[in-house]
Amino acid sequence: MGKEKQIAIEVLTHLDVHRVRGIALTPTEGLARGMAVEDTGGPLKAPVGRGILSRMFDVFGNAIDRKPAPSDVTWRTIHQAPPPLSRRSTRSEVFETGIKVIDVLVPLERGGKAGLFGGAGVGKTVLLTEMIHNMVKHHQGVSIFCGIGERCREGEELYRDMKAAGVLPNMVMVFGQMNEPPGARFRVGHAALTMAEYFRDDEHLDVLLLIDNIFRFIQAGSEVSGLMGQMPSRLGYQPTMGTELSGLEERISNTDAGAIMSIQAVYVPADDFTDPAAVHTFSHLSASIVLSRKRASEGLYPAIDPLQSSSKMATPGIIGKRHYSLAQEIRQTLAQYSELKDIIAMLGLEQLSQEDRNIVARARRLERFLTQPFFTTEQFTGFKGKFISLKDSLDGCERILRDEFKDYPESALYMIGAIDEAKAKTSTGGQNETGTHES
């Protein structure tokens, strides 16, 4: 057989001394009984090293960006054990993203795993691109994007978006595309993690690992399980689903050397949160970020729903009493406004009591303050991107809740960074109508 027509097969079980059962990682057209099989003598390997930065790879570590293969790399097996407990960091640290609504209401864990939920067109890719930008610029870290079961169109668009945003030099992309066999989709996550572990353990860097979509990893495992002849479990899922997912997720952690922090897009089958795939995925997540189409249509970007999103880090012991009580007060104000919306729609704002009107005014100003211009959308919106520290974000929310900005127009708080910019915006008369700009 020619070099172009080689078929890669990974051995999964030894049936007896003379027989093995394997899973194909490449298409099997032309495969026939009696063909010779060559033993490579080793497992599937992934390239690691500085040479993989700004490149795009498949599950075998082949460059798929139409550029020459990287030269200064070494190859490591993709089957690595999770770091031992003795090497893991026991401190719960908050990872500051520079995005107000996330840092204040849904703080992310350094070395933790966050789920990103949202339909098409609500800003998932823009949010991920911005987080990659902030990781590179403010944390001197590396980002790895792992596409599991991605459409090739999505991968190509993302590559161009990252290049335009200027974040590609500190980024690696790994794809197991939708048209590839289940074996390739099942192993691409492990290949990406092997690259991430190199930057964490050898280069001592913080790594942002983006996985889109973790459900497709489970789905690929289900297909592999069926091909291996295993008895299906509940709802047709593989009996080893919990173990397989844990084998991947437990490698995402922070150690004494650095941290791998993961943001995973999660597809929930038929919006059924009791589905085994969703249940097993949720058990690993430390935060859930939910994107809302309604907020996106109102021009409130990032379109994160503060009432649906949650984080296990949001406790007084981790983020401190002031931050915790402020976050609770913000949620309470936004929840009360949400309840009052029906009354306002039917009877108008004038029919509310003065106290309720104050709540509405605070909530609307908070909603606008929690929007912010992104670096990665500067060329589309004309707004200069902002990285806002947690201190400035909390300070702004606290001053809005204390009614310091009740006499300012709502538009003065829209798409700004720190709260003092509202005063400058009002004094120069540069405010625009709220919600007219989309990013």
Side-chain angles (χ1 to χ4, degrees):
M1 296 174 78
K3 180 75 176 166
E4 303 78 32
K5 293 194 176 177
Q6 283 190 351
I7 295 168
I9 297 172
E10 185 179 22
V11 175
L12 290 188
T13 54
H14 287 259
L15 298 176
D16 55 39
V17 180
H18 301 289
R19 293 186 304 150
V20 296
R21 182 171 276 166
I23 195 82
L25 303 175
T26 52
T28 54
E29 289 86 6
L31 190 65
R33 187 184 292 273
M35 281 185 172
V37 176
E38 184 186 336
D39 180 9
T40 62
L44 196 58
K45 292 183 177 179
V48 296
R50 281 272 166 185
I52 66 173
L53 288 172
S54 81
R55 303 300 302 273
M56 190 191 280
F57 299 96
D58 65 8
V59 69
F60 300 103
N62 300 322
I64 53 172
D65 52 7
R66 296 179 186 167
K67 293 179 185 172
S71 51
D72 52 339
V73 296
T74 53
W75 293 78
R76 281 187 193 169
T77 170
I78 66 165
H79 302 286
Q80 305 279 359
L85 287 173
S86 57
R87 281 199 57 217
R88 294 195 182 217
S89 170
T90 52
R91 292 209 319 270
S92 289
E93 297 176 71
V94 171
F95 175 83
E96 203 171 310
T97 63
I99 298 169
K100 286 182 279 194
V101 66
I102 292 178
D103 289 343
V104 173
L105 296 173
V106 201
L108 302 183
E109 182 183 6
R110 184 174 176 267
K113 296 168 271 282
L116 183 61
F117 306 84
V122 292
K124 281 202 299 293
T125 307
V126 171
L127 188 60
L128 291 180
T129 315
E130 184 70 7
M131 293 189 77
I132 290 168
H133 177 280
N134 290 354
M135 181 68 159
V136 171
K137 290 285 191 290
H138 298 275
H139 295 276
Q140 284 74 52
V142 168
S143 298
I144 295 180
F145 184 92
C146 174
I148 305 178
E150 282 280 276
R151 299 168 185 86
C152 56
R153 170 186 59 78
E154 292 174 337
E156 194 266 341
E157 282 175 5
L158 189 73
Y159 182 82
R160 278 193 286 109
D161 288 346
M162 299 300 170
K163 200 169 184 178
V167 297
L168 206 55
N170 284 305
M171 182 174 184
V172 186
M173 301 172 91
V174 193
F175 285 99
Q177 289 165 200
M178 200 175 260
N179 61 325
E180 293 183 44
R185 286 180 272 125
F186 188 54
R187 289 298 183 213
V188 72
H190 297 92
L193 258 167
T194 303
M195 296 173 182
E197 284 164 346
Y198 163 81
F199 288 110
R200 178 190 67 191
D201 300 334
D202 295 40
E203 301 272 350
H204 304 300
L205 293 169
D206 281 357
V207 183
L208 180 63
L209 175 66
L210 307 158
I211 300 177
D212 188 8
N213 189 304
I214 198 67
F215 171 76
R216 296 198 190 116
F217 167 76
I218 294 170
Q219 202 172 34
S222 179
E223 292 176 54
V224 168
S225 176
L227 292 167
M228 294 302 293
Q230 292 177 345
M231 187 74 76
S233 180
R234 188 168 154 238
L235 294 186
Y237 286 107
Q238 63 272 40
T240 51
M241 174 170 64
T243 315
E244 288 166 3
L245 188 63
S246 299
L248 185 75
E249 297 278 10
E250 285 303 303
R251 288 170 66 181
I252 302 169
S253 61
N254 53 343
T255 64
D256 45 16
I260 299 174
M261 199 191 88
S262 172
I263 297 176
Q264 308 172 7
V266 183
Y267 168 70
V268 181
D271 290 340
D272 177 14
F273 284 83
T274 64
D275 187 274
V279 170
H280 280 274
T281 305
F282 286 137
S283 66
H284 292 280
L285 300 178
S286 54
S288 299
I289 301 169
V290 180
L291 294 172
S292 153
R293 192 171 300 284
K294 189 170 184 303
R295 291 178 73 79
S297 67
E298 290 170 10
L300 300 173
Y301 288 97
I304 294 168
D305 188 329
L307 301 178
Q308 295 283 314
S309 305
S310 63
S311 169
K312 290 178 184 172
M313 300 294 284
T315 61
I318 296 173
I319 59 175
K321 286 185 178 174
R322 176 183 174 239
H323 185 168
Y324 176 76
S325 56
L326 257 175
Q328 291 297 95
E329 195 177 344
I330 292 164
R331 282 182 189 277
Q332 191 178 356
T333 305
L334 294 173
Q336 285 174 301
Y337 174 47
S338 182
E339 288 170 10
L340 291 169
K341 276 181 179 174
D342 288 342
I343 299 171
I344 296 168
M346 287 188 290
L347 304 174
L349 193 63
E350 296 74 26
Q351 299 302 314
L352 297 179
S353 65
Q354 187 57 49
E355 188 184 341
D356 284 348
R357 259 185 275 183
N358 290 341
I359 288 168
V360 171
R362 278 181 219 129
R364 286 181 64 85
R365 280 164 178 76
L366 277 172
E367 280 185 341
R368 276 135 191 85
F369 177 63
L370 291 174
T371 63
Q372 84 185 65
F374 281 176
F375 292 98
T376 50
T377 57
E378 281 179 8
Q379 66 265 44
F380 310 119
T381 62
F383 290 121
K384 191 162 170 47
K386 312 271 184 190
F387 182 98
I388 298 100
S389 69
L390 178 61
K391 182 181 173 296
D392 286 344
S393 301
L394 291 173
D395 182 49
C397 292
E398 189 171 41
R399 288 164 71 182
I400 291 169
L401 287 166
R402 303 294 167 263
D403 288 337
E404 192 178 316
F405 290 84
K406 66 176 183 181
D407 297 326
Y408 283 71
E410 290 172 4
S411 53
L413 298 166
Y414 180 68
M415 286 290 168
I416 61 168
I419 194 75
D420 288 329
E421 289 180 31
K423 293 183 176 179
K425 204 173 177 184
T426 309
S427 61
T428 57
Q431 73 267 18
N432 299 298
E433 279 305 307
T434 312
T436 53
H437 294 280
E438 294 196 12
S439 59

